[in-house]
Amino acid sequence: MSDLKVVEVTQPNDVVQIKEEKIIVLRKKTITVQEEYHVQTIEEPIGLTDNNVVALDKPAFFSKAKPMENENLADSSVDDLEERKELARIIGLTHLPDKRPDSIQTISGIFDEIAGKEEIDTTQLVKDLRRRCK
Amino acid sequence: MNIFQKVQNGQYTVIVTHHVLNEIFDVLKKQAVVATKHEVWAERQTKQLYSQFTTTLLSSTNVLIKDPNISAKNLYSPAFSLLYKYSKGIEFAFSCPVCHSTFNFVDSDTIFRDDAVHAILAWALNCDEFITFDADFYQLSNEPLIQPLKISVIP
């Protein structure tokens, strides 16, 4: 008997080569490459239950814009000049009216002319308008 | 002392957003067509009265025309949260709101989209108090989303 000994049994897809009196077995292997993903956790508001609406936490993005956080609107130096000028321009004024302390008192009743003979519930009127879904 | 006297005395600084100004214009438009029943006259009356109102506002002390510097997302998304939470409410009336004839009238009675936007705008402006004639806003008195904004309803 020769000195041949069986080292390995070939599989069906193996490729067998004989080279320089050597038997070479080539076997295919399947390699799985795993990619790494970066997972970002986002906090979302609590979901709603069947009958009761759970108090919603403020969404992560819900915050006041930083410029307003430190702005004290009660401070008389807060400037709304640009907004006033724009509003005056839209309604056709050529210049901003002078400020008068008692001016605000004249707002009440300013629309009486349009109210007509009937007393109008303006709160209800505004509510009716807000409900119009077109 | 009424609210206007308090503003005149400096106890309040009133902040008027463009959302408020727009709503007032809509109210005038509706009332003008009802009053005049004429397209051209209604427009003329609307703009004339709006101009009077705006001029008065511009000449008032302790009144600021201001909008908060927030994105549309930061306005409409929390507004939707309020709408969804406070969606219950119904009112019954026994006459039609248009022709006043006897009619079983039913409508939803709670805050609507413009109400929610008003509340969020006031909160974003760091207002101390939200003053309104509309009792629907009572529902928002303890709403965590707009704390510490105080809701005051004038009867």
Side-chain angles (χ1 to χ4, degrees), chain A residues 48 61-62 64-65 68 73 79-80 84 98-101 103 105-106 120 123 127 130-132, chain B residues 5 8 23 31 56 58-59 63-66 69 74 78 84 91 107 109 115 123 125-126 133 136:
Chain A
L48 303 167
F61 59 78
F62 184 47
K64 297 181 188 181
M68 297 301 293
L73 291 169
D79 186 15
D80 65 341
R84 286 174 171 270
D98 294 327
K99 289 197 180 184
R100 294 182 354 252
S103 199
Q105 296 274 17
T106 62
I120 291 178
T123 305
K127 285 169 76 167
R130 286 173 182 167
R131 287 165 189 169
R132 286 169 66 187
Chain B
Q5 287 169 325
Q8 183 177 343
E23 189 166 63
Q31 220 31 52
T56 305
L58 290 172
S59 63
V63 173
L64 290 173
I65 314 288
K66 267 290 183 190
N69 182 25
N74 270 356
Y84 199 93
E91 70 167 345
D107 199 3
D109 188 23
D115 301 316
W123 178 85
L125 281 163
N126 287 315
F133 291 102
D136 289 338

mmCIF file of all heavy atoms in Angstrom, chain A residues 48 61-62 64-65 68 73 79-80 84 98-101 103 105-106 120 123 127 130-132, chain B residues 5 8 23 31 56 58-59 63-66 69 74 78 84 91 107 109 115 123 125-126 133 136:
data_model
loop_
_atom_site.group_PDB
_atom_site.id
_atom_site.type_symbol
_atom_site.label_atom_id
_atom_site.label_comp_id
_atom_site.label_asym_id
_atom_site.label_seq_id
_atom_site.Cartn_x
_atom_site.Cartn_y
_atom_site.Cartn_z
ATOM 1 N N LEU A 48 -51.400 58.528 23.359
ATOM 2 C CA LEU A 48 -52.718 58.748 23.927
ATOM 3 C C LEU A 48 -53.357 57.414 24.304
ATOM 4 O O LEU A 48 -53.206 56.434 23.601
ATOM 5 C CB LEU A 48 -53.604 59.466 22.902
ATOM 6 C CG LEU A 48 -53.024 60.791 22.407
ATOM 7 C CD1 LEU A 48 -53.760 61.267 21.195
ATOM 8 C CD2 LEU A 48 -53.086 61.824 23.512
ATOM 9 N N PHE A 61 -38.513 69.818 20.937
ATOM 10 C CA PHE A 61 -38.194 71.011 20.164
ATOM 11 C C PHE A 61 -38.993 72.219 20.632
ATOM 12 O O PHE A 61 -38.785 73.325 20.175
ATOM 13 C CB PHE A 61 -38.477 70.764 18.666
ATOM 14 C CG PHE A 61 -39.890 70.388 18.361
ATOM 15 C CD1 PHE A 61 -40.902 71.331 18.317
ATOM 16 C CD2 PHE A 61 -40.225 69.066 18.127
ATOM 17 C CE1 PHE A 61 -42.211 70.977 18.040
ATOM 18 C CE2 PHE A 61 -41.532 68.696 17.847
ATOM 19 C CZ PHE A 61 -42.517 69.652 17.795
ATOM 20 N N PHE A 62 -39.950 72.029 21.572
ATOM 21 C CA PHE A 62 -40.839 73.122 21.940
ATOM 22 C C PHE A 62 -40.161 74.003 22.962
ATOM 23 O O PHE A 62 -40.159 73.714 24.137
ATOM 24 C CB PHE A 62 -42.158 72.568 22.477
ATOM 25 C CG PHE A 62 -43.168 73.632 22.803
ATOM 26 C CD1 PHE A 62 -43.429 74.661 21.922
ATOM 27 C CD2 PHE A 62 -43.862 73.598 24.002
ATOM 28 C CE1 PHE A 62 -44.370 75.631 22.217
ATOM 29 C CE2 PHE A 62 -44.795 74.577 24.305
ATOM 30 C CZ PHE A 62 -45.062 75.587 23.422
ATOM 31 N N LYS A 64 -39.063 78.331 23.745
ATOM 32 C CA LYS A 64 -39.168 79.696 23.253
ATOM 33 C C LYS A 64 -37.876 80.045 22.539
ATOM 34 O O LYS A 64 -36.803 79.618 22.932
ATOM 35 C CB LYS A 64 -39.383 80.648 24.422
ATOM 36 C CG LYS A 64 -40.685 80.391 25.153
ATOM 37 C CD LYS A 64 -40.870 81.357 26.285
ATOM 38 C CE LYS A 64 -42.080 80.941 27.088
ATOM 39 N NZ LYS A 64 -42.344 81.842 28.186
ATOM 40 N N ALA A 65 -37.992 80.820 21.510
ATOM 41 C CA ALA A 65 -36.806 81.272 20.796
ATOM 42 C C ALA A 65 -35.947 82.094 21.733
ATOM 43 O O ALA A 65 -36.437 82.892 22.504
ATOM 44 C CB ALA A 65 -37.227 82.103 19.595
ATOM 45 N N MET A 68 -36.408 85.878 22.624
ATOM 46 C CA MET A 68 -37.551 86.304 23.418
ATOM 47 C C MET A 68 -37.375 85.934 24.882
ATOM 48 O O MET A 68 -38.015 86.508 25.727
ATOM 49 C CB MET A 68 -38.835 85.667 22.893
ATOM 50 C CG MET A 68 -39.201 86.065 21.484
ATOM 51 S SD MET A 68 -39.428 87.829 21.255
ATOM 52 C CE MET A 68 -40.874 88.094 22.229
ATOM 53 N N LEU A 73 -40.900 92.419 27.773
ATOM 54 C CA LEU A 73 -41.751 93.231 26.935
ATOM 55 C C LEU A 73 -42.443 94.335 27.703
ATOM 56 O O LEU A 73 -43.054 95.214 27.103
ATOM 57 C CB LEU A 73 -42.776 92.341 26.219
ATOM 58 C CG LEU A 73 -42.148 91.445 25.164
ATOM 59 C CD1 LEU A 73 -43.122 90.413 24.662
ATOM 60 C CD2 LEU A 73 -41.636 92.262 23.992
ATOM 61 N N ASP A 79 -38.570 97.783 21.381
ATOM 62 C CA ASP A 79 -38.869 98.526 20.175
ATOM 63 C C ASP A 79 -39.789 97.761 19.257
ATOM 64 O O ASP A 79 -39.481 96.641 18.844
ATOM 65 C CB ASP A 79 -37.533 98.835 19.474
ATOM 66 C CG ASP A 79 -37.728 99.729 18.282
ATOM 67 O OD1 ASP A 79 -38.808 100.335 18.160
ATOM 68 O OD2 ASP A 79 -36.812 99.804 17.453
ATOM 69 N N ASP A 80 -40.929 98.343 18.928
ATOM 70 C CA ASP A 80 -41.801 97.748 17.910
ATOM 71 C C ASP A 80 -41.985 98.753 16.787
ATOM 72 O O ASP A 80 -43.005 98.738 16.095
ATOM 73 C CB ASP A 80 -43.148 97.333 18.522
ATOM 74 C CG ASP A 80 -43.954 98.529 19.025
ATOM 75 O OD1 ASP A 80 -43.363 99.614 19.235
ATOM 76 O OD2 ASP A 80 -45.176 98.384 19.195
ATOM 77 N N ARG A 84 -44.818 98.899 13.756
ATOM 78 C CA ARG A 84 -45.774 100.009 13.689
ATOM 79 C C ARG A 84 -45.727 100.684 12.329
ATOM 80 O O ARG A 84 -46.768 101.029 11.762
ATOM 81 C CB ARG A 84 -45.427 101.033 14.774
ATOM 82 C CG ARG A 84 -45.788 100.579 16.158
ATOM 83 C CD ARG A 84 -45.285 101.571 17.211
ATOM 84 N NE ARG A 84 -45.823 101.202 18.487
ATOM 85 C CZ ARG A 84 -46.979 101.652 18.960
ATOM 86 N NH1 ARG A 84 -47.683 102.536 18.273
ATOM 87 N NH2 ARG A 84 -47.431 101.243 20.125
ATOM 88 N N ASP A 98 -49.197 110.424 16.733
ATOM 89 C CA ASP A 98 -48.601 110.721 18.036
ATOM 90 C C ASP A 98 -49.300 109.881 19.093
ATOM 91 O O ASP A 98 -50.507 109.640 19.029
ATOM 92 C CB ASP A 98 -48.767 112.210 18.378
ATOM 93 C CG ASP A 98 -47.982 113.096 17.425
ATOM 94 O OD1 ASP A 98 -46.903 112.645 16.968
ATOM 95 O OD2 ASP A 98 -48.438 114.219 17.135
ATOM 96 N N LYS A 99 -48.550 109.507 20.102
ATOM 97 C CA LYS A 99 -49.133 108.689 21.173
ATOM 98 C C LYS A 99 -49.827 109.581 22.179
ATOM 99 O O LYS A 99 -49.328 110.650 22.542
ATOM 100 C CB LYS A 99 -48.035 107.875 21.858
ATOM 101 C CG LYS A 99 -47.494 106.757 20.983
ATOM 102 C CD LYS A 99 -46.730 105.743 21.802
ATOM 103 C CE LYS A 99 -46.200 104.632 20.915
ATOM 104 N NZ LYS A 99 -45.532 103.575 21.681
ATOM 105 N N ARG A 100 -51.016 109.143 22.611
ATOM 106 C CA ARG A 100 -51.774 109.858 23.646
ATOM 107 C C ARG A 100 -52.155 108.868 24.718
ATOM 108 O O ARG A 100 -52.639 107.776 24.416
ATOM 109 C CB ARG A 100 -53.032 110.483 23.051
ATOM 110 C CG ARG A 100 -52.800 111.578 22.051
ATOM 111 C CD ARG A 100 -54.087 112.214 21.519
ATOM 112 N NE ARG A 100 -55.312 111.583 21.937
ATOM 113 C CZ ARG A 100 -56.089 110.855 21.132
ATOM 114 N NH1 ARG A 100 -55.745 110.660 19.894
ATOM 115 N NH2 ARG A 100 -57.204 110.311 21.584
ATOM 116 N N PRO A 101 -52.022 109.224 25.983
ATOM 117 C CA PRO A 101 -52.309 108.263 27.071
ATOM 118 C C PRO A 101 -53.757 107.778 27.067
ATOM 119 O O PRO A 101 -54.029 106.642 27.434
ATOM 120 C CB PRO A 101 -52.012 109.058 28.344
ATOM 121 C CG PRO A 101 -51.120 110.165 27.917
ATOM 122 C CD PRO A 101 -51.493 110.487 26.503
ATOM 123 N N SER A 103 -55.736 107.362 24.519
ATOM 124 C CA SER A 103 -56.147 106.818 23.226
ATOM 125 C C SER A 103 -56.778 105.436 23.354
ATOM 126 O O SER A 103 -57.749 105.107 22.682
ATOM 127 C CB SER A 103 -54.914 106.759 22.316
ATOM 128 O OG SER A 103 -55.299 106.667 20.980
ATOM 129 N N GLN A 105 -58.586 104.233 25.536
ATOM 130 C CA GLN A 105 -59.967 104.251 26.038
ATOM 131 C C GLN A 105 -60.975 104.354 24.900
ATOM 132 O O GLN A 105 -62.140 103.983 25.065
ATOM 133 C CB GLN A 105 -60.171 105.445 26.990
ATOM 134 C CG GLN A 105 -59.330 105.385 28.241
ATOM 135 C CD GLN A 105 -60.005 104.579 29.331
ATOM 136 O OE1 GLN A 105 -60.938 103.805 29.100
ATOM 137 N NE2 GLN A 105 -59.537 104.762 30.550
ATOM 138 N N THR A 106 -60.542 104.875 23.760
ATOM 139 C CA THR A 106 -61.484 105.079 22.656
ATOM 140 C C THR A 106 -61.703 103.810 21.829
ATOM 141 O O THR A 106 -62.522 103.796 20.918
ATOM 142 C CB THR A 106 -60.998 106.208 21.727
ATOM 143 O OG1 THR A 106 -59.740 105.838 21.162
ATOM 144 C CG2 THR A 106 -60.829 107.502 22.483
ATOM 145 N N ILE A 120 -74.569 93.020 19.398
ATOM 146 C CA ILE A 120 -73.792 91.893 18.875
ATOM 147 C C ILE A 120 -72.927 91.295 19.972
ATOM 148 O O ILE A 120 -72.270 92.021 20.700
ATOM 149 C CB ILE A 120 -72.895 92.362 17.718
ATOM 150 C CG1 ILE A 120 -73.758 92.731 16.521
ATOM 151 C CG2 ILE A 120 -71.896 91.287 17.321
ATOM 152 C CD1 ILE A 120 -72.979 93.256 15.359
ATOM 153 N N THR A 123 -67.884 88.151 21.139
ATOM 154 C CA THR A 123 -67.191 86.902 21.503
ATOM 155 C C THR A 123 -67.757 85.760 20.686
ATOM 156 O O THR A 123 -67.012 84.959 20.106
ATOM 157 C CB THR A 123 -67.356 86.596 23.001
ATOM 158 O OG1 THR A 123 -66.904 87.706 23.741
ATOM 159 C CG2 THR A 123 -66.577 85.358 23.391
ATOM 160 N N LYS A 127 -65.999 83.484 17.762
ATOM 161 C CA LYS A 127 -66.025 82.020 17.860
ATOM 162 C C LYS A 127 -66.607 81.410 16.599
ATOM 163 O O LYS A 127 -66.111 80.413 16.092
ATOM 164 C CB LYS A 127 -66.854 81.591 19.078
ATOM 165 C CG LYS A 127 -66.132 81.793 20.396
ATOM 166 C CD LYS A 127 -67.040 81.621 21.587
ATOM 167 C CE LYS A 127 -67.351 80.192 21.885
ATOM 168 N NZ LYS A 127 -67.974 80.037 23.224
ATOM 169 N N ARG A 130 -64.005 81.518 13.939
ATOM 170 C CA ARG A 130 -62.923 80.570 14.169
ATOM 171 C C ARG A 130 -63.337 79.152 13.815
ATOM 172 O O ARG A 130 -62.494 78.315 13.538
ATOM 173 C CB ARG A 130 -62.481 80.615 15.630
ATOM 174 C CG ARG A 130 -61.689 81.847 15.972
ATOM 175 C CD ARG A 130 -61.427 81.918 17.442
ATOM 176 N NE ARG A 130 -60.708 83.133 17.798
ATOM 177 C CZ ARG A 130 -60.562 83.569 19.031
ATOM 178 N NH1 ARG A 130 -61.075 82.898 20.040
ATOM 179 N NH2 ARG A 130 -59.905 84.672 19.286
ATOM 180 N N ARG A 131 -64.623 78.879 13.839
ATOM 181 C CA ARG A 131 -65.101 77.530 13.565
ATOM 182 C C ARG A 131 -65.250 77.253 12.086
ATOM 183 O O ARG A 131 -65.513 76.136 11.711
ATOM 184 C CB ARG A 131 -66.456 77.301 14.233
ATOM 185 C CG ARG A 131 -66.339 77.154 15.713
ATOM 186 C CD ARG A 131 -67.681 77.297 16.357
ATOM 187 N NE ARG A 131 -67.543 77.372 17.791
ATOM 188 C CZ ARG A 131 -68.504 77.696 18.618
ATOM 189 N NH1 ARG A 131 -69.690 77.993 18.152
ATOM 190 N NH2 ARG A 131 -68.298 77.735 19.903
ATOM 191 N N ARG A 132 -65.080 78.282 11.258
ATOM 192 C CA ARG A 132 -65.300 78.060 9.842
ATOM 193 C C ARG A 132 -64.154 77.225 9.300
ATOM 194 O O ARG A 132 -63.019 77.645 9.312
ATOM 195 C CB ARG A 132 -65.376 79.387 9.116
ATOM 196 C CG ARG A 132 -66.685 80.108 9.381
ATOM 197 C CD ARG A 132 -66.620 81.514 8.881
ATOM 198 N NE ARG A 132 -66.502 81.559 7.430
ATOM 199 C CZ ARG A 132 -66.289 82.666 6.759
ATOM 200 N NH1 ARG A 132 -66.147 83.800 7.383
ATOM 201 N NH2 ARG A 132 -66.216 82.659 5.459
ATOM 202 N N GLN B 5 -58.442 101.081 31.306
ATOM 203 C CA GLN B 5 -57.891 102.027 32.280
ATOM 204 C C GLN B 5 -56.580 101.485 32.848
ATOM 205 O O GLN B 5 -55.628 102.247 33.065
ATOM 206 C CB GLN B 5 -58.898 102.269 33.420
ATOM 207 C CG GLN B 5 -60.083 103.119 33.000
ATOM 208 C CD GLN B 5 -61.195 103.129 34.031
ATOM 209 O OE1 GLN B 5 -61.441 102.125 34.697
ATOM 210 N NE2 GLN B 5 -61.895 104.254 34.149
ATOM 211 N N GLN B 8 -53.939 102.139 30.345
ATOM 212 C CA GLN B 8 -53.599 103.560 30.332
ATOM 213 C C GLN B 8 -52.697 103.908 31.518
ATOM 214 O O GLN B 8 -51.759 104.693 31.379
ATOM 215 C CB GLN B 8 -54.874 104.396 30.375
ATOM 216 C CG GLN B 8 -54.643 105.893 30.291
ATOM 217 C CD GLN B 8 -55.947 106.689 30.273
ATOM 218 O OE1 GLN B 8 -57.016 106.145 30.012
ATOM 219 N NE2 GLN B 8 -55.848 107.963 30.555
ATOM 220 N N GLU B 23 -57.377 88.602 12.827
ATOM 221 C CA GLU B 23 -58.693 88.113 13.253
ATOM 222 C C GLU B 23 -59.693 89.262 13.334
ATOM 223 O O GLU B 23 -60.854 89.117 12.958
ATOM 224 C CB GLU B 23 -58.574 87.407 14.602
ATOM 225 C CG GLU B 23 -59.835 86.684 15.009
ATOM 226 C CD GLU B 23 -59.610 85.734 16.158
ATOM 227 O OE1 GLU B 23 -59.249 86.225 17.250
ATOM 228 O OE2 GLU B 23 -59.789 84.526 15.969
ATOM 229 N N GLN B 31 -68.971 91.308 9.505
ATOM 230 C CA GLN B 31 -69.999 92.221 9.994
ATOM 231 C C GLN B 31 -70.374 93.242 8.935
ATOM 232 O O GLN B 31 -71.525 93.660 8.833
ATOM 233 C CB GLN B 31 -69.481 92.896 11.264
ATOM 234 C CG GLN B 31 -70.465 93.091 12.399
ATOM 235 C CD GLN B 31 -71.536 92.055 12.501
ATOM 236 O OE1 GLN B 31 -71.267 90.853 12.521
ATOM 237 N NE2 GLN B 31 -72.766 92.508 12.584
ATOM 238 N N THR B 56 -55.918 104.133 16.237
ATOM 239 C CA THR B 56 -56.099 104.242 17.691
ATOM 240 C C THR B 56 -55.071 103.382 18.416
ATOM 241 O O THR B 56 -54.461 103.808 19.403
ATOM 242 C CB THR B 56 -57.514 103.807 18.095
ATOM 243 O OG1 THR B 56 -58.464 104.565 17.367
ATOM 244 C CG2 THR B 56 -57.746 103.984 19.590
ATOM 245 N N LEU B 58 -52.162 102.420 17.285
ATOM 246 C CA LEU B 58 -50.812 102.963 17.079
ATOM 247 C C LEU B 58 -50.572 104.194 17.943
ATOM 248 O O LEU B 58 -49.426 104.510 18.277
ATOM 249 C CB LEU B 58 -50.596 103.305 15.605
ATOM 250 C CG LEU B 58 -50.485 102.118 14.653
ATOM 251 C CD1 LEU B 58 -50.480 102.595 13.204
ATOM 252 C CD2 LEU B 58 -49.229 101.306 14.930
ATOM 253 N N SER B 59 -51.638 104.892 18.298
ATOM 254 C CA SER B 59 -51.466 106.106 19.113
ATOM 255 C C SER B 59 -51.606 105.814 20.607
ATOM 256 O O SER B 59 -51.534 106.730 21.428
ATOM 257 C CB SER B 59 -52.494 107.168 18.701
ATOM 258 O OG SER B 59 -53.810 106.701 18.964
ATOM 259 N N VAL B 63 -48.904 99.860 24.476
ATOM 260 C CA VAL B 63 -49.361 98.853 23.515
ATOM 261 C C VAL B 63 -48.195 98.546 22.579
ATOM 262 O O VAL B 63 -47.601 99.462 22.006
ATOM 263 C CB VAL B 63 -50.573 99.347 22.695
ATOM 264 C CG1 VAL B 63 -50.916 98.338 21.598
ATOM 265 C CG2 VAL B 63 -51.773 99.561 23.603
ATOM 266 N N LEU B 64 -47.871 97.270 22.447
ATOM 267 C CA LEU B 64 -46.783 96.854 21.559
ATOM 268 C C LEU B 64 -47.344 95.964 20.454
ATOM 269 O O LEU B 64 -48.174 95.093 20.717
ATOM 270 C CB LEU B 64 -45.729 96.055 22.321
ATOM 271 C CG LEU B 64 -44.867 96.792 23.332
ATOM 272 C CD1 LEU B 64 -44.017 95.781 24.107
ATOM 273 C CD2 LEU B 64 -43.974 97.796 22.643
ATOM 274 N N ILE B 65 -46.899 96.208 19.237
ATOM 275 C CA ILE B 65 -47.217 95.321 18.122
ATOM 276 C C ILE B 65 -46.036 94.370 17.999
ATOM 277 O O ILE B 65 -44.941 94.774 17.611
ATOM 278 C CB ILE B 65 -47.384 96.096 16.798
ATOM 279 C CG1 ILE B 65 -48.241 97.338 16.961
ATOM 280 C CG2 ILE B 65 -47.874 95.171 15.693
ATOM 281 C CD1 ILE B 65 -49.697 97.075 17.154
ATOM 282 N N LYS B 66 -46.242 93.117 18.379
ATOM 283 C CA LYS B 66 -45.093 92.187 18.424
ATOM 284 C C LYS B 66 -45.539 90.780 18.084
ATOM 285 O O LYS B 66 -46.637 90.360 18.449
ATOM 286 C CB LYS B 66 -44.497 92.156 19.835
ATOM 287 C CG LYS B 66 -43.348 93.115 20.071
ATOM 288 C CD LYS B 66 -42.117 92.713 19.337
ATOM 289 C CE LYS B 66 -40.959 93.649 19.646
ATOM 290 N NZ LYS B 66 -39.819 93.421 18.760
ATOM 291 N N ASN B 69 -40.573 85.336 18.025
ATOM 292 C CA ASN B 69 -39.629 84.847 17.038
ATOM 293 C C ASN B 69 -39.521 83.323 17.149
ATOM 294 O O ASN B 69 -38.541 82.794 17.644
ATOM 295 C CB ASN B 69 -38.262 85.508 17.281
ATOM 296 C CG ASN B 69 -37.243 85.089 16.253
ATOM 297 O OD1 ASN B 69 -37.594 84.701 15.144
ATOM 298 N ND2 ASN B 69 -35.974 85.158 16.605
ATOM 299 N N ASN B 74 -42.712 75.308 15.872
ATOM 300 C CA ASN B 74 -42.864 75.579 17.299
ATOM 301 C C ASN B 74 -44.185 76.249 17.618
ATOM 302 O O ASN B 74 -44.545 76.362 18.786
ATOM 303 C CB ASN B 74 -41.712 76.464 17.793
ATOM 304 C CG ASN B 74 -40.541 75.641 18.272
ATOM 305 O OD1 ASN B 74 -40.615 74.413 18.308
ATOM 306 N ND2 ASN B 74 -39.455 76.295 18.610
ATOM 307 N N PRO B 78 -47.295 72.534 18.884
ATOM 308 C CA PRO B 78 -47.927 72.596 20.206
ATOM 309 C C PRO B 78 -49.375 73.049 20.144
ATOM 310 O O PRO B 78 -50.188 72.645 20.983
ATOM 311 C CB PRO B 78 -47.062 73.605 20.974
ATOM 312 C CG PRO B 78 -46.249 74.306 19.976
ATOM 313 C CD PRO B 78 -46.118 73.421 18.798
ATOM 314 N N TYR B 84 -55.915 68.802 20.233
ATOM 315 C CA TYR B 84 -56.224 67.389 20.393
ATOM 316 C C TYR B 84 -56.670 67.098 21.819
ATOM 317 O O TYR B 84 -57.571 66.305 22.055
ATOM 318 C CB TYR B 84 -55.000 66.536 20.034
ATOM 319 C CG TYR B 84 -55.360 65.100 19.732
ATOM 320 C CD1 TYR B 84 -55.618 64.703 18.421
ATOM 321 C CD2 TYR B 84 -55.439 64.148 20.744
ATOM 322 C CE1 TYR B 84 -55.954 63.394 18.135
ATOM 323 C CE2 TYR B 84 -55.780 62.847 20.463
ATOM 324 C CZ TYR B 84 -56.043 62.468 19.159
ATOM 325 O OH TYR B 84 -56.386 61.177 18.886
ATOM 326 N N GLU B 91 -72.418 72.645 22.322
ATOM 327 C CA GLU B 91 -73.404 73.629 22.736
ATOM 328 C C GLU B 91 -74.686 73.413 21.953
ATOM 329 O O GLU B 91 -74.653 73.012 20.787
ATOM 330 C CB GLU B 91 -72.894 75.057 22.530
ATOM 331 C CG GLU B 91 -72.761 75.492 21.093
ATOM 332 C CD GLU B 91 -72.548 76.989 20.944
ATOM 333 O OE1 GLU B 91 -72.778 77.724 21.913
ATOM 334 O OE2 GLU B 91 -72.174 77.421 19.844
ATOM 335 N N ASP B 107 -73.598 72.645 17.966
ATOM 336 C CA ASP B 107 -72.263 72.940 17.443
ATOM 337 C C ASP B 107 -71.215 72.529 18.472
ATOM 338 O O ASP B 107 -71.509 72.408 19.666
ATOM 339 C CB ASP B 107 -72.131 74.433 17.139
ATOM 340 C CG ASP B 107 -70.978 74.725 16.193
ATOM 341 O OD1 ASP B 107 -70.324 73.759 15.733
ATOM 342 O OD2 ASP B 107 -70.721 75.899 15.928
ATOM 343 N N ASP B 109 -68.281 73.142 20.946
ATOM 344 C CA ASP B 109 -68.020 74.310 21.794
ATOM 345 C C ASP B 109 -66.773 74.071 22.620
ATOM 346 O O ASP B 109 -66.821 73.562 23.730
ATOM 347 C CB ASP B 109 -69.219 74.587 22.711
ATOM 348 C CG ASP B 109 -69.059 75.908 23.457
ATOM 349 O OD1 ASP B 109 -68.298 76.765 22.973
ATOM 350 O OD2 ASP B 109 -69.687 76.070 24.511
ATOM 351 N N ASP B 115 -57.746 79.737 18.401
ATOM 352 C CA ASP B 115 -57.626 79.890 19.851
ATOM 353 C C ASP B 115 -56.307 79.297 20.331
ATOM 354 O O ASP B 115 -55.592 79.909 21.142
ATOM 355 C CB ASP B 115 -58.782 79.159 20.573
ATOM 356 C CG ASP B 115 -60.141 79.669 20.165
ATOM 357 O OD1 ASP B 115 -60.305 80.892 20.073
ATOM 358 O OD2 ASP B 115 -61.037 78.840 19.944
ATOM 359 N N TRP B 123 -47.838 82.646 25.050
ATOM 360 C CA TRP B 123 -46.816 81.950 25.839
ATOM 361 C C TRP B 123 -45.418 82.244 25.304
ATOM 362 O O TRP B 123 -44.489 82.525 26.048
ATOM 363 C CB TRP B 123 -47.093 80.442 25.816
ATOM 364 C CG TRP B 123 -46.088 79.635 26.552
ATOM 365 C CD1 TRP B 123 -46.069 79.348 27.890
ATOM 366 C CD2 TRP B 123 -44.923 79.013 26.000
ATOM 367 N NE1 TRP B 123 -44.966 78.593 28.197
ATOM 368 C CE2 TRP B 123 -44.244 78.356 27.060
ATOM 369 C CE3 TRP B 123 -44.384 78.931 24.699
ATOM 370 C CZ2 TRP B 123 -43.068 77.646 26.865
ATOM 371 C CZ3 TRP B 123 -43.202 78.217 24.515
ATOM 372 C CH2 TRP B 123 -42.568 77.577 25.598
ATOM 373 N N LEU B 125 -44.430 84.769 23.741
ATOM 374 C CA LEU B 125 -44.075 86.173 23.952
ATOM 375 C C LEU B 125 -43.745 86.454 25.420
ATOM 376 O O LEU B 125 -43.516 87.597 25.783
ATOM 377 C CB LEU B 125 -45.236 87.085 23.519
ATOM 378 C CG LEU B 125 -45.362 87.326 22.015
ATOM 379 C CD1 LEU B 125 -46.744 87.882 21.680
ATOM 380 C CD2 LEU B 125 -44.276 88.274 21.523
ATOM 381 N N ASN B 126 -43.744 85.402 26.246
ATOM 382 C CA ASN B 126 -43.487 85.570 27.683
ATOM 383 C C ASN B 126 -44.517 86.451 28.373
ATOM 384 O O ASN B 126 -44.198 87.143 29.345
ATOM 385 C CB ASN B 126 -42.089 86.167 27.934
ATOM 386 C CG ASN B 126 -40.998 85.165 27.662
ATOM 387 O OD1 ASN B 126 -41.077 84.016 28.072
ATOM 388 N ND2 ASN B 126 -39.975 85.592 26.942
ATOM 389 N N PHE B 133 -62.424 87.552 26.314
ATOM 390 C CA PHE B 133 -63.846 87.484 26.649
ATOM 391 C C PHE B 133 -64.390 86.069 26.420
ATOM 392 O O PHE B 133 -65.518 85.780 26.780
ATOM 393 C CB PHE B 133 -64.662 88.460 25.784
ATOM 394 C CG PHE B 133 -64.400 89.909 26.098
ATOM 395 C CD1 PHE B 133 -63.584 90.670 25.279
ATOM 396 C CD2 PHE B 133 -64.980 90.505 27.204
ATOM 397 C CE1 PHE B 133 -63.352 92.011 25.566
ATOM 398 C CE2 PHE B 133 -64.751 91.848 27.492
ATOM 399 C CZ PHE B 133 -63.927 92.602 26.669
ATOM 400 N N ASP B 136 -64.194 79.780 26.562
ATOM 401 C CA ASP B 136 -63.582 78.500 26.178
ATOM 402 C C ASP B 136 -62.136 78.404 26.668
ATOM 403 O O ASP B 136 -61.620 77.322 26.904
ATOM 404 C CB ASP B 136 -63.591 78.327 24.648
ATOM 405 C CG ASP B 136 -64.994 78.073 24.127
ATOM 406 O OD1 ASP B 136 -65.856 77.617 24.908
ATOM 407 O OD2 ASP B 136 -65.233 78.345 22.934
#
